[in-house]
Tab-separated table of all heavy atoms in Angstrom:
chain	number	residue	atom	x	y	z
A	168	PRO	N	68.743	48.035	144.774
A	168	PRO	CA	69.081	49.134	143.866
A	168	PRO	C	68.491	48.880	142.478
A	168	PRO	O	68.601	47.778	141.941
A	168	PRO	CB	70.613	49.100	143.837
A	168	PRO	CG	71.003	48.475	145.139
A	168	PRO	CD	69.931	47.460	145.427
A	169	GLY	N	67.820	49.891	141.942
A	169	GLY	CA	67.120	49.726	140.679
A	169	GLY	C	65.710	49.192	140.838
A	169	GLY	O	64.955	49.137	139.862
A	170	GLY	N	65.358	48.796	142.055
A	170	GLY	CA	63.998	48.338	142.324
A	170	GLY	C	63.046	49.516	142.479
A	170	GLY	O	63.452	50.682	142.550
A	171	ARG	N	61.747	49.214	142.511
A	171	ARG	CA	60.719	50.261	142.542
A	171	ARG	C	60.009	50.316	143.886
A	171	ARG	O	59.734	49.275	144.495
A	171	ARG	CB	59.673	50.010	141.450
A	171	ARG	CG	60.175	50.334	140.054
A	171	ARG	CD	60.296	49.120	139.185
A	171	ARG	NE	59.075	48.382	138.988
A	171	ARG	CZ	59.040	47.049	138.837
A	171	ARG	NH1	60.155	46.332	138.906
A	171	ARG	NH2	57.893	46.425	138.618
A	172	ILE	N	59.747	51.534	144.292
A	172	ILE	CA	58.910	51.797	145.466
A	172	ILE	C	57.626	52.450	144.979
A	172	ILE	O	57.656	53.332	144.114
A	172	ILE	CB	59.649	52.708	146.464
A	172	ILE	CG1	60.745	51.922	147.198
A	172	ILE	CG2	58.678	53.309	147.480
A	172	ILE	CD1	61.565	52.762	148.165
A	173	GLY	N	56.490	52.014	145.538
A	173	GLY	CA	55.208	52.602	145.170
A	173	GLY	C	54.290	52.723	146.376
A	173	GLY	O	54.188	51.795	147.178
A	174	LEU	N	53.636	53.866	146.498
A	174	LEU	CA	52.764	54.139	147.637
A	174	LEU	C	51.484	54.817	147.169
A	174	LEU	O	51.501	55.609	146.226
A	174	LEU	CB	53.450	55.079	148.639
A	174	LEU	CG	54.841	54.705	149.141
A	174	LEU	CD1	55.434	55.864	149.920
A	174	LEU	CD2	54.783	53.446	149.995
A	175	ILE	N	50.406	54.490	147.843
A	175	ILE	CA	49.187	55.291	147.763
A	175	ILE	C	48.865	55.738	149.180
A	175	ILE	O	48.811	54.920	150.105
A	175	ILE	CB	48.021	54.502	147.146
A	175	ILE	CG1	48.182	54.408	145.621
A	175	ILE	CG2	46.685	55.136	147.502
A	175	ILE	CD1	47.092	53.609	144.917
A	176	SER	N	48.692	57.050	149.351
A	176	SER	CA	48.390	57.622	150.664
A	176	SER	C	47.295	58.669	150.527
A	176	SER	O	47.262	59.426	149.549
A	176	SER	CB	49.638	58.291	151.269
A	176	SER	OG	50.736	57.400	151.321
A	177	TRP	N	46.412	58.723	151.505
A	177	TRP	CA	45.379	59.765	151.520
A	177	TRP	C	46.023	61.127	151.748
A	177	TRP	O	46.965	61.249	152.526
A	177	TRP	CB	44.356	59.494	152.625
A	177	TRP	CG	43.671	58.178	152.530
A	177	TRP	CD1	43.714	57.149	153.429
A	177	TRP	CD2	42.805	57.726	151.472
A	177	TRP	NE1	42.944	56.099	153.007
A	177	TRP	CE2	42.371	56.414	151.812
A	177	TRP	CE3	42.357	58.291	150.280
A	177	TRP	CZ2	41.523	55.673	150.988
A	177	TRP	CZ3	41.509	57.553	149.462
A	177	TRP	CH2	41.097	56.269	149.818
A	178	THR	N	45.531	62.150	151.072
A	178	THR	CA	46.104	63.490	151.200
A	178	THR	C	45.472	64.238	152.378
A	178	THR	O	44.337	63.959	152.773
A	178	THR	CB	45.885	64.320	149.927
A	178	THR	OG1	44.477	64.549	149.750
A	178	THR	CG2	46.451	63.616	148.704
A	179	PRO	N	46.203	65.217	152.934
A	179	PRO	CA	45.612	66.012	154.026
A	179	PRO	C	44.348	66.753	153.600
A	179	PRO	O	43.417	66.908	154.390
A	179	PRO	CB	46.730	67.007	154.383
A	179	PRO	CG	47.993	66.368	153.921
A	179	PRO	CD	47.617	65.587	152.689
A	180	GLN	N	44.321	67.220	152.325
A	180	GLN	CA	43.185	68.021	151.858
A	180	GLN	C	42.012	67.170	151.404
A	180	GLN	O	40.899	67.686	151.253
A	180	GLN	CB	43.637	68.904	150.681
A	180	GLN	CG	44.821	69.791	150.988
A	180	GLN	CD	46.168	69.110	150.742
A	180	GLN	OE1	46.242	67.892	150.524
A	180	GLN	NE2	47.236	69.886	150.800
A	181	GLY	N	42.252	65.887	151.159
A	181	GLY	CA	41.211	65.014	150.651
A	181	GLY	C	40.253	64.542	151.730
A	181	GLY	O	40.365	64.907	152.905
A	182	PHE	N	39.326	63.690	151.338
A	182	PHE	CA	38.245	63.296	152.251
A	182	PHE	C	38.769	62.626	153.518
A	182	PHE	O	38.382	62.990	154.633
A	182	PHE	CB	37.263	62.366	151.525
A	182	PHE	CG	36.119	61.946	152.413
A	182	PHE	CD1	35.014	62.769	152.571
A	182	PHE	CD2	36.155	60.741	153.108
A	182	PHE	CE1	33.969	62.396	153.412
A	182	PHE	CE2	35.123	60.365	153.941
A	182	PHE	CZ	34.019	61.198	154.098
A	183	ILE	N	39.655	61.625	153.374
A	183	ILE	CA	40.107	60.909	154.563
A	183	ILE	C	40.995	61.805	155.425
A	183	ILE	O	40.931	61.766	156.660
A	183	ILE	CB	40.830	59.605	154.181
A	183	ILE	CG1	39.835	58.625	153.542
A	183	ILE	CG2	41.463	58.958	155.409
A	183	ILE	CD1	38.746	58.103	154.468
A	184	GLY	N	41.821	62.645	154.791
A	184	GLY	CA	42.584	63.614	155.572
A	184	GLY	C	41.665	64.519	156.383
A	184	GLY	O	41.935	64.812	157.560
A	185	GLN	N	40.577	64.960	155.762
A	185	GLN	CA	39.620	65.804	156.471
A	185	GLN	C	38.819	65.018	157.514
A	185	GLN	O	38.390	65.585	158.526
A	185	GLN	CB	38.699	66.490	155.470
A	185	GLN	CG	39.408	67.556	154.642
A	185	GLN	CD	40.050	68.614	155.514
A	185	GLN	OE1	39.369	69.330	156.254
A	185	GLN	NE2	41.374	68.719	155.455
A	186	MET	N	38.635	63.735	157.287
A	186	MET	CA	37.987	62.910	158.310
A	186	MET	C	38.852	62.850	159.573
A	186	MET	O	38.346	62.975	160.692
A	186	MET	CB	37.732	61.502	157.769
A	186	MET	CG	36.978	60.608	158.758
A	186	MET	SD	36.863	58.889	158.223
A	186	MET	CE	38.506	58.308	158.673
A	187	PHE	N	40.174	62.685	159.380
A	187	PHE	CA	41.058	62.672	160.547
A	187	PHE	C	41.075	64.038	161.234
A	187	PHE	O	41.131	64.119	162.467
A	187	PHE	CB	42.467	62.219	160.149
A	187	PHE	CG	42.608	60.729	160.127
A	187	PHE	CD1	42.428	60.023	158.949
A	187	PHE	CD2	42.890	60.016	161.285
A	187	PHE	CE1	42.529	58.641	158.913
A	187	PHE	CE2	42.996	58.636	161.268
A	187	PHE	CZ	42.820	57.940	160.088
A	188	ALA	N	41.033	65.124	160.453
A	188	ALA	CA	40.962	66.456	161.048
A	188	ALA	C	39.667	66.624	161.846
A	188	ALA	O	39.659	67.239	162.920
A	188	ALA	CB	41.064	67.525	159.961
A	189	THR	N	38.574	66.076	161.325
A	189	THR	CA	37.290	66.135	162.022
A	189	THR	C	37.334	65.360	163.332
A	189	THR	O	36.788	65.799	164.361
A	189	THR	CB	36.174	65.578	161.113
A	189	THR	OG1	36.077	66.385	159.941
A	189	THR	CG2	34.832	65.549	161.825
A	190	MET	N	37.996	64.211	163.322
A	190	MET	CA	38.041	63.359	164.517
A	190	MET	C	39.051	63.839	165.554
A	190	MET	O	38.955	63.472	166.727
A	190	MET	CB	38.368	61.917	164.124
A	190	MET	CG	37.297	61.227	163.322
A	190	MET	SD	37.529	59.428	163.230
A	190	MET	CE	39.156	59.290	162.474
A	191	LYS	N	40.017	64.656	165.135
A	191	LYS	CA	41.119	65.013	166.043
A	191	LYS	C	40.653	65.574	167.389
A	191	LYS	O	41.162	65.168	168.444
A	191	LYS	CB	42.068	65.996	165.343
A	191	LYS	CG	43.293	66.331	166.176
A	191	LYS	CD	44.252	67.240	165.428
A	191	LYS	CE	45.471	67.574	166.285
A	191	LYS	NZ	46.416	68.459	165.553
A	192	PRO	N	39.680	66.517	167.423
A	192	PRO	CA	39.255	67.045	168.727
A	192	PRO	C	38.583	65.997	169.621
A	192	PRO	O	38.450	66.213	170.833
A	192	PRO	CB	38.260	68.147	168.350
A	192	PRO	CG	38.539	68.471	166.931
A	192	PRO	CD	39.013	67.204	166.309
A	193	PHE	N	38.172	64.876	169.025
A	193	PHE	CA	37.469	63.833	169.776
A	193	PHE	C	38.387	62.657	170.132
A	193	PHE	O	37.968	61.755	170.855
A	193	PHE	CB	36.290	63.303	168.954
A	193	PHE	CG	35.241	64.326	168.643
A	193	PHE	CD1	35.306	65.095	167.490
A	193	PHE	CD2	34.174	64.540	169.510
A	193	PHE	CE1	34.345	66.046	167.188
A	193	PHE	CE2	33.203	65.479	169.233
A	193	PHE	CZ	33.286	66.245	168.069
A	194	ALA	N	39.607	62.653	169.593
A	194	ALA	CA	40.492	61.501	169.724
A	194	ALA	C	41.463	61.682	170.885
A	194	ALA	O	41.742	62.808	171.306
A	194	ALA	CB	41.263	61.289	168.431
A	195	PRO	N	42.011	60.589	171.407
A	195	PRO	CA	43.050	60.714	172.421
A	195	PRO	C	44.242	61.467	171.848
A	195	PRO	O	44.506	61.390	170.639
A	195	PRO	CB	43.434	59.256	172.731
A	195	PRO	CG	42.328	58.419	172.184
A	195	PRO	CD	41.717	59.188	171.057
A	196	PRO	N	44.968	62.214	172.674
A	196	PRO	CA	46.138	62.932	172.148
A	196	PRO	C	47.173	61.955	171.617
A	196	PRO	O	47.383	60.887	172.205
A	196	PRO	CB	46.660	63.693	173.369
A	196	PRO	CG	46.080	63.003	174.557
A	196	PRO	CD	44.773	62.428	174.115
A	197	PRO	N	47.820	62.284	170.492
A	197	PRO	CA	48.818	61.368	169.942
A	197	PRO	C	50.037	61.289	170.860
A	197	PRO	O	50.352	62.259	171.561
A	197	PRO	CB	49.186	62.002	168.597
A	197	PRO	CG	48.841	63.444	168.754
A	197	PRO	CD	47.673	63.499	169.682
A	198	PRO	N	50.736	60.160	170.868
A	198	PRO	CA	51.938	60.040	171.687
A	198	PRO	C	53.047	60.946	171.163
A	198	PRO	O	53.045	61.314	169.983
A	198	PRO	CB	52.318	58.565	171.562
A	198	PRO	CG	51.671	58.107	170.311
A	198	PRO	CD	50.440	58.924	170.146
A	199	PRO	N	53.980	61.333	172.027
A	199	PRO	CA	55.074	62.213	171.586
A	199	PRO	C	55.824	61.604	170.394
A	199	PRO	O	56.141	60.418	170.382
A	199	PRO	CB	55.982	62.284	172.819
A	199	PRO	CG	55.094	61.967	173.980
A	199	PRO	CD	54.085	60.987	173.464
A	200	GLY	N	56.064	62.432	169.384
A	200	GLY	CA	56.834	61.985	168.228
A	200	GLY	C	56.031	61.352	167.113
A	200	GLY	O	56.538	61.190	166.001
A	201	ALA	N	54.781	60.984	167.378
A	201	ALA	CA	53.950	60.384	166.329
A	201	ALA	C	53.515	61.470	165.347
A	201	ALA	O	53.205	62.598	165.739
A	201	ALA	CB	52.741	59.700	166.935
A	202	GLN	N	53.498	61.113	164.064
A	202	GLN	CA	53.159	62.090	163.022
A	202	GLN	C	51.816	61.752	162.390
A	202	GLN	O	51.441	60.569	162.301
A	202	GLN	CB	54.262	62.095	161.957
A	202	GLN	CG	55.595	62.608	162.484
A	202	GLN	CD	56.708	62.427	161.474
A	202	GLN	OE1	57.234	61.335	161.321
A	202	GLN	NE2	57.069	63.497	160.780
A	203	PRO	N	51.067	62.757	161.920
A	203	PRO	CA	49.742	62.512	161.339
A	203	PRO	C	49.846	61.664	160.072
A	203	PRO	O	50.651	61.960	159.181
A	203	PRO	CB	49.233	63.915	161.019
A	203	PRO	CG	50.068	64.844	161.837
A	203	PRO	CD	51.399	64.194	161.978
A	204	PRO	N	49.035	60.625	159.942
A	204	PRO	CA	49.102	59.772	158.757
A	204	PRO	C	48.981	60.513	157.431
A	204	PRO	O	49.736	60.226	156.490
A	204	PRO	CB	47.949	58.786	158.969
A	204	PRO	CG	47.776	58.725	160.448
A	204	PRO	CD	48.079	60.101	160.944
A	205	PRO	N	48.047	61.494	157.284
A	205	PRO	CA	47.887	62.113	155.962
A	205	PRO	C	49.090	62.932	155.492
A	205	PRO	O	49.112	63.341	154.326
A	205	PRO	CB	46.655	63.007	156.145
A	205	PRO	CG	45.900	62.398	157.284
A	205	PRO	CD	46.962	61.911	158.205
A	206	LEU	N	50.101	63.155	156.359
A	206	LEU	CA	51.317	63.823	155.882
A	206	LEU	C	51.963	63.054	154.730
A	206	LEU	O	52.632	63.643	153.877
A	206	LEU	CB	52.325	63.968	157.025
A	206	LEU	CG	52.301	65.259	157.833
A	206	LEU	CD1	53.399	65.230	158.891
A	206	LEU	CD2	52.456	66.480	156.937
A	207	TRP	N	51.778	61.725	154.717
A	207	TRP	CA	52.312	60.922	153.609
A	207	TRP	C	51.669	61.297	152.273
A	207	TRP	O	52.173	60.934	151.209
A	207	TRP	CB	52.087	59.433	153.869
A	207	TRP	CG	53.160	58.773	154.683
A	207	TRP	CD1	53.126	58.498	156.028
A	207	TRP	CD2	54.407	58.238	154.212
A	207	TRP	NE1	54.278	57.855	156.407
A	207	TRP	CE2	55.081	57.674	155.319
A	207	TRP	CE3	55.015	58.204	152.953
A	207	TRP	CZ2	56.328	57.073	155.203
A	207	TRP	CZ3	56.259	57.601	152.841
A	207	TRP	CH2	56.906	57.048	153.954
A	208	GLY	N	50.549	62.013	152.322
A	208	GLY	CA	49.907	62.478	151.105
A	208	GLY	C	50.364	63.852	150.669
A	208	GLY	O	49.799	64.425	149.735
Side-chain angles (χ1 to χ4, degrees):
R171 286 113 59 213
I172 286 178
L174 308 170
I175 283 178
S176 306
W177 302 117
T178 65
Q180 304 88 349
F182 181 83
I183 293 294
Q185 290 303 298
M186 184 188 79
F187 275 94
T189 298
M190 293 194 301
K191 184 177 180 180
F193 298 90
Q202 294 172 281
L206 267 182
W207 274 99

